Amino acid sequence: MEECIFCKIIRGEIPGKFVYRDTQVVAFHDISPKAPVHVLVVPVKHIESVREITPEDQELMGLLMLKVKDIAKKLGIALSGYKVVVNNGESAGQLVFHLHLHLLGGWKKSPGWEV
Ligand code: AMP
Ligand code: ZN
């Protein structure tokens, strides 16, 4: 069983503020938001980073992006705009080695935030 923090959140062993979950993809609010809306979209399958994806993951990778689209709509940032960021490897700032897409948006509604 994976000991990584995101696997523990997915298994419910540590709390997460979920905005979406199904058997393949989950999304929860980042604990330290860098934007007014900052959600992490995460495959249930433990894959460390883009470096470790395989052709077997092709469908799952497509599904992740479709979920980003749906979750952005659900959170009300689809039309105002958002960023999708994936950090890969330590020098790129990856801290949690379970692949995740940062979905960042909502700046227009929060004047104090800079893009
Ligand atoms: P990265 O630097 O791309 O690996 O991003 C990891 C992200 O996970 C950071 O933005 C952290 O704030 C976030 N994070 C770490 N621990 C938790 C947690 N327990 N719940 C939600 N987000 C977390
Ligand atoms: Zn994991």
Side-chain angles (χ1 to χ4, degrees):
M1 194 176 281
E2 294 290 345
E3 282 305 305
C4 102
I5 188 164
F6 286 178
C7 281
K8 287 183 176 175
I9 291 173
I10 290 164
R11 292 198 298 263
E13 293 167 14
I14 49 178
K17 224 174 132 194
F18 285 89
V19 295
Y20 179 79
R21 73 181 305 161
D22 65 27
T23 56
Q24 293 188 87
V25 179
V26 301
F28 50 85
H29 286 280
D30 195 292
I31 205 166
S32 176
K34 317 298 186 296
V37 175
H38 186 175
V39 162
L40 303 172
V41 182
V42 186
V44 169
K45 180 180 177 184
H46 180 89
I47 302 169
E48 288 200 358
S49 72
V50 169
R51 197 173 47 202
E52 284 77 24
I53 61 178
T54 67
E56 174 187 300
D57 301 315
Q58 182 172 332
E59 204 171 311
L60 177 59
M61 294 303 106
L63 183 65
L64 275 180
M65 200 55 84
L66 287 169
K67 293 302 171 190
V68 165
K69 174 186 140 176
D70 292 347
I71 292 162
K73 191 173 178 192
K74 182 174 173 179
L75 297 175
I77 57 170
L79 296 179
S80 55
Y82 52 88
K83 296 175 192 264
V84 182
V85 175
V86 185
N87 298 322
N88 284 281
E90 264 171 53
S91 73
Q94 187 176 6
L95 296 171
V96 177
F97 285 82
H98 180 138
L99 179 68
H100 51 281
L101 282 62
H102 295 259
L103 169 58
L104 302 136
W107 297 281
K108 280 188 179 162
K109 288 181 187 161
S110 308
W113 287 80
E114 298 287 330
V115 175

